Amino acid sequence: MFKVKDAFYEKKESTQYTSPKIETNEKVEKSLPDGNRVIYFESDSAFLDINVQGSNNLVEIGKLLPGITGKISINLYGEDCSVVLSDRLWVSQYLTICVGQNHPNFGKVRNVKVELGSDVSIEGCVIITYNSNTKVSLGSRCMLSFGITIYNTDGHPILDKRTNKIINKVRDVVIEEHCWLGANSTILKNVHIPQDSIVGWGAVVTSGSLKQFGTKNDSPLQNSGVILSGNPARICKTEITWSQNGSAGYVDNVN
């Protein structure tokens, strides 16, 4: 069943709690202490496990696709952060999203966005970010196999000994629409994967994995349809696309 963690309801004398608002289309909006909000469909509550701590955070989950069997777990510790999952998401095993970490060596993150587009299919995936002012974006019609890790952080700072400045800064992970991530693949910080692309089984995609496009002025935004494989991943094929529909010739091994 849908769990609302005790952290939502730490007793504060001045806090006014708002009862869930249930609309005719079964969408529920929970207004929580400190400006946190959770929006979901009541009929999907059995698949959700959500824990929000901090202030002014939003978790919004669109209507899940019928037939879902997996669990969606979201742990958010931050301020002015959002996790938005669009309609028709399908999860067969698990989707775990961790934004920030309530740990003595860390603290609340700020201005973090995690966004999943519509019609995304997931076997098993963990999405983690521990840095403020970052985004993880997964486009519509993406397909993720099992054992996927999207890790938009290094977990801990790496410093230049001479200047004491952090040298492993974190920006965004952007996976454009209609990408297929193979089993046990890993997407590391600051990666941008163009639409129609495939990440091979066990590949580890780094921010340098797509830098072999032509001249130094080229960027993944100007390209699409690549296959990435290996550790670290490199482009092994270009100008491809793919289809989820295995019954259109693939199962029969024709065409």
Side-chain angles (χ1 to χ4, degrees):
M1 70 190 312
F2 178 81
K3 299 178 184 176
V4 180
K5 303 294 188 184
D6 292 339
F8 280 150
Y9 296 109
E10 294 176 353
K11 182 63 175 175
K12 295 183 180 180
E13 296 298 331
S14 62
T15 302
Q16 296 293 321
Y17 298 120
T18 304
S19 298
K21 178 183 177 183
I22 301 178
E23 301 175 358
T24 55
N25 64 357
E26 299 182 74
K27 182 174 279 191
V28 175
E29 179 171 345
K30 288 182 179 287
S31 296
L32 307 171
D34 302 313
N36 296 308
R37 293 186 298 144
V38 178
I39 301 171
Y40 64 100
F41 281 81
E42 186 179 32
S43 57
D44 294 331
S45 61
F47 306 103
L48 307 177
D49 186 354
I50 300 173
N51 176 25
V52 179
Q53 301 178 60
S55 59
N56 301 317
N57 300 299
L58 169 66
V59 173
E60 183 170 1
I61 301 172
K63 190 72 187 75
L64 301 178
L65 198 66
I68 182 174
T69 56
K71 177 75 73 173
I72 298 171
S73 300
I74 299 172
N75 291 283
L76 194 164
Y77 183 55
E79 182 178 314
D80 299 318
C81 299
S82 62
V83 175
V84 178
L85 314 181
S86 299
D87 288 336
R88 298 183 299 280
L89 171 64
W90 183 83
V91 178
S92 71
Q93 297 179 18
Y94 61 89
L95 169 62
T96 301
I97 299 173
C98 299
V99 176
Q101 187 175 190
N102 190 358
H103 183 279
N105 291 339
F106 286 84
K108 289 186 290 188
V109 293
R110 294 169 178 81
N111 189 34
V112 173
K113 293 179 172 57
V114 176
E115 303 169 347
L116 270 64
S118 59
D119 297 293
V120 169
S121 171
I122 297 173
E123 297 285 345
C125 177
V126 176
I127 299 173
I128 297 174
T129 184
Y130 293 147
N131 303 81
S132 296
N133 304 308
T134 61
K135 178 176 72 173
V136 175
S137 176
L138 183 69
S140 298
R141 299 184 299 119
C142 285
M143 183 174 70
L144 281 63
S145 187
F146 56 85
I148 307 297
T149 302
I150 300 174
Y151 197 66
N152 194 34
T153 184
D154 281 339
H156 303 278
I158 300 174
L159 307 175
D160 185 317
K161 279 188 174 181
R162 297 166 300 176
T163 63
N164 205 38
K165 290 184 177 180
I166 295 173
I167 61 175
N168 60 332
K169 291 192 176 177
V170 180
R171 298 184 298 276
D172 302 333
V173 163
V174 177
I175 301 169
E176 294 188 8
E177 66 177 20
H178 197 237
C179 287
W180 173 9
L181 307 188
N184 297 321
S185 59
T186 300
I187 313 299
L188 296 180
K189 72 179 194 300
N190 306 337
V191 163
H192 191 143
I193 299 176
Q195 66 180 15
D196 276 347
S197 294
I198 299 172
V199 176
W201 185 303
V204 178
V205 184
T206 70
S207 58
S209 293
L210 290 118
K211 286 186 177 178
Q212 62 188 70
F213 283 98
T215 69
K216 64 181 180 180
N217 294 321
D218 285 349
S219 77
L221 289 173
Q222 297 170 308
N223 299 272
S224 63
V226 302
I227 298 178
L228 293 151
S229 65
N231 180 8
R234 291 290 182 264
I235 298 168
C236 62
K237 193 169 182 61
T238 61
E239 298 184 10
I240 61 95
T241 188
W242 59 276
S243 172
Q244 279 183 285
N245 187 6
S247 63
Y250 184 74
V251 173
D252 293 333
N253 231 6
V254 297
N255 296 333

